[in-house]
Structures are given as C-alpha cells and as structure tokens.
Amino acid sequence: MLQDRFARAIDYLRVSVTDRCDLRCSYCLPARFKGFEEPEHWLTFDEITRLVGAFARLGVRRVRLTGGEPLLRRNLPELAGRLSGLGLADLALSTNATQLAKHAQALKDAGVTRVNVSLDSLDRKCVSQITGSDSFDNVMAGLHAAAEVGLSPIKLNMVAMRGVNDAEIDTMAEFAFAHGYILRMIEAMPMGDTGRNTQYLDLGPIRDRLVARYDLIPEVIELGGGPARYWKTRDGIGRIGFITPMSQHFCATCNRVRLTVDGTLYMCLGQESSFEFRPLLRGGASDAELEAAILHAIELKPERHEFVEQPAKLIRFMSQTGG
Ligand code: SAM
C-alpha cells in the first residue's frame, strides 16, 4: 500500500494521455493557447503501461484516463486494453464526449468501466459560449452511446459558475435524474488565468437548497473514491455529488496523484510538487528503480492545496495537469 507522509493511502492514479483538447472551456484552456507538449515528449503506450504497472504493484487500484481530451489520443482503446490487463479494480475515463459516440463500444470492450462527461449546461448557446464550440449534439450522442454500450455509472461534471450556468442547476439535476446519470457539481478552481477569471459560485448554499427541494439524503456508500460528497433522492434513483475544493476542501482524504502526458507526476492539483518519470523510463531504469522512484515521489505529496489562501499561485491550467 502506498502511503504518504500524512498517512493517506494513495490508491488512485489519473493518467493524462494528452494535453490537447478540441474545446476551449472558459475556465480551462485559453482560446489561443499554443504551448502544448511536443509529441516526442509524450509517454508512449509502452511507457504508460510499464509505469502504471509499477504503481499497481505498489497498491494503486484505480486509474482514470484523462487529459486534455483523452479521446484525441490515437488508439486510446488499445491503451485502455493494456491497462485493464494489469488487474486494476477500476479503469475510468474523463471526457468531453465530443467523440465518445465513435469510441464508446471499443472503450467498453477494452475494459473501461465508467465515464465522467463534462457538461455545464443543457442550453446549446450556453454550451457554445462556455466551450467555444457548437458541441452540444455530439456530446448528447456520446452520452447516449455510453449508456447503450453499458458504461456505468455515467457522471456529468458541471462546473457551476455565477451568472453563467447557475440558473440551470435544477434543470441539470432533473435531466440527470431522468436519464440515470449522476450529476456532479464542481466549484471552479483558480488554475491559471482562465480558472481565476471564472465566476466562482459557493456550492454550500446550492447544496442546501437542492437537498430541500428534492428531499435528498446523504449517500453513505462511497461512489468512486473521489472527493465528491453524494446525496440521493429517497427512492435512491437520483444522485448529486458536490466537489467543493474552495468552500470545503477534502485534502485530508486525498488518495490520488496525477501523471501528465510528458511523464511528470503531480502530487497535488494545487501545488507544484512533482517528479519526472520520463528520464527514468527512457534511461533504462529497472522495475525496482521505478518503484523506488514512485515511493520517493509520494513522499513529496503536500498536505493540502492553497487555492483560497494563494489563488494566484498556480499558472498550470487543469488541462495541463490532467483534470
Ligand atoms: N477533457 C476531459 C473532460 O472534459 O472531462 C478531461 C479533462 S478536463 C480538464 C477534466 C475536468 O476538469 C472537467 O470536468 C472540467 O470541467 C474540469 N475543470 C477544468 N478546469 C477547471 C477549473 N478551473 N475548475 C474546476 N474544474 C475545472
């Protein structure tokens, strides 16, 4: 079992397979951003599989493929198949779903169990304004395909923004209830200028209002080992999760680290602590040396982020770290 200096068990690895994205969400990637990682620095599927294998031997049980937009990485289902062969308990995918309809079956066949889909609004114009792209129909087709092939559960990630999509929260909740999706509302984090310029909305009062309106009760079982706190309708059919890094952080139970496309392991979304694995992978390191490096890297995991105290600290966008 991997454990950090604060006695937190680290059993969850998020693997970014690209820092590129076909959308430009207002809180994430700047519209004219050009500083993407060079392809020769991208970890290959062999390198990713070898490194994830080392994490798995040390106790990592859950892996999420993310990005950027992971479905932009060619042959992603092939990588998923190789990772699922490592005997993980959970292999999930985060996607904006613009290309999910094309790949859902191959991903399912490769061993991906479930997907989280970014969807901030059900209003086509609002989606275009937030994402910079008329992507709504493709996302809906992607969601439909994911359900058809049995990727389950399907969670909808909604970044809640004051004056942008806060009027749609109830509509989103009812849409999720009706389709059996789990809505997860997320507070915007000050990652890069884009994140900092986002109209932050405290989800505490929103949660209280939704709990009263839909007569929600706290979910006691863990739904994915992540930071979301879940509530459900009394019939157990509808579920809403709240991710509140700003108003009520969850660092004391953080169980994850993040690998970027160039092989840098970030120990915390909101801090700079990192360790580079690419030089080891390309420099002939043995499996034992890789495992020793992972143990060393986990020692660097900081106690908590400082998004509230030092909002200007982080210049990385979410898509660079791997959301
Ligand atoms: N492209 C994939 C997707 O859309 O899910 C994976 C990467 S994306 C960066 C992962 C998640 O990060 C998305 O749900 C997105 O809404 C969220 N995100 C990006 N920037 C954020 C920010 N500044 N604050 C909160 N969430 C953010």
Side-chain angles (χ1 to χ4, degrees):
M1 179 75 86
L2 274 177
Q3 215 181 45
D4 74 0
R5 289 176 296 146
F6 304 97
R8 294 174 295 201
I10 309 301
D11 67 352
Y12 185 13
L13 176 66
R14 297 175 76 107
V15 177
S16 172
V17 293
T18 181
D19 57 350
R20 293 166 197 245
C21 191
D22 52 340
L23 302 183
R24 292 290 180 274
C25 296
S26 55
Y27 45 78
C28 192
L29 198 53
R32 274 172 287 282
F33 183 72
K34 293 269 188 311
F36 295 108
E37 199 52 66
E38 299 295 331
E40 60 266 30
H41 291 165
W42 299 353
L43 294 194
T44 63
F45 287 180
D46 281 346
E47 289 167 338
I48 295 173
T49 307
R50 181 162 177 238
L51 191 51
V52 175
F55 274 96
R57 287 193 298 280
L58 291 170
V60 163
R61 313 302 312 145
R62 307 165 191 266
V63 169
R64 172 173 297 278
L65 296 168
T66 183
E69 172 45 43
L71 292 177
L72 295 189
R73 181 82 185 246
R74 203 172 300 153
N75 300 330
L76 187 72
E78 182 199 327
L79 176 65
R82 292 173 68 171
L83 297 183
S84 69
L86 297 172
L88 303 164
D90 187 27
L91 181 63
L93 172 76
S94 283
T95 176
N96 62 31
T98 58
Q99 307 205 26
L100 186 56
K102 262 189 280 176
H103 300 293
Q105 187 67 61
L107 290 163
K108 173 75 180 169
D109 294 346
V112 172
T113 42
R114 59 200 183 92
V115 286
N116 289 5
V117 170
S118 290
L119 184 66
D120 296 324
S121 166
L122 289 168
D123 177 274
R124 175 186 304 272
K125 250 171 65 194
C126 185
V127 169
S128 295
Q129 270 161 10
I130 295 171
T131 67
S133 167
D134 185 14
S135 51
F136 184 74
D137 288 344
N138 289 342
V139 174
M140 288 299 135
L143 276 173
H144 184 69
E148 283 277 293
V149 304
L151 289 165
S152 173
I154 295 172
K155 296 181 183 168
L156 304 180
N157 282 344
M158 174 187 191
V159 177
M161 292 167 277
R162 184 176 299 286
V164 178
N165 61 354
D166 52 346
E168 281 200 68
I169 289 170
D170 297 25
T171 319
M172 286 285 290
E174 286 159 28
F175 172 76
F177 294 165
H179 290 83
Y181 305 141
I182 299 173
L183 178 64
R184 304 197 323 158
M185 302 186 54
I186 305 173
E187 287 176 348
M189 288 173 268
M191 299 190 67
D193 289 340
T194 43
R196 272 187 283 283
N197 291 336
T198 299
Q199 298 308 309
Y200 168 71
L201 181 67
D202 180 346
L203 287 179
I206 304 285
R207 181 193 50 225
D208 295 346
R209 188 180 65 69
L210 292 177
V211 163
R213 169 152 194 200
Y214 297 109
D215 193 18
L216 303 176
I217 52 177
E219 177 74 81
V220 280
I221 59 155
E222 193 196 76
L223 281 180
R229 302 285 171 265
Y230 288 94
W231 294 72
K232 63 180 177 185
T233 52
R234 286 196 183 262
D235 60 10
I237 292 172
R239 287 197 166 85
I240 308 184
F242 298 88
I243 302 184
T244 55
M246 306 299 288
S247 66
Q248 199 180 15
H249 73 76
F250 32 77
C251 303
T253 55
C254 184
N255 62 348
R256 65 201 50 206
V257 287
R258 293 174 155 86
L259 183 67
T260 64
V261 66
D262 72 339
T264 306
L265 188 74
Y266 280 101
M267 262 45 81
C268 171
L269 201 50
Q271 299 280 12
E272 300 294 350
S273 339
S274 64
F275 185 90
E276 289 192 26
F277 280 93
R278 195 177 75 245
L280 287 179
L281 288 163
R282 296 193 179 169
S286 66
D287 285 350
E289 283 166 335
L290 274 187
E291 289 171 25
I294 292 170
L295 292 170
H296 165 72
I298 296 298
E299 287 285 299
L300 305 175
K301 189 168 167 65
E303 188 171 13
R304 48 167 300 202
H305 65 68
E306 294 165 306
F307 284 139
V308 176
E309 299 87 337
Q310 298 199 57
K313 184 168 176 174
L314 215 68
I315 56 167
R316 294 192 316 268
F317 314 114
M318 183 74 113
S319 62
Q320 292 175 300
T321 311

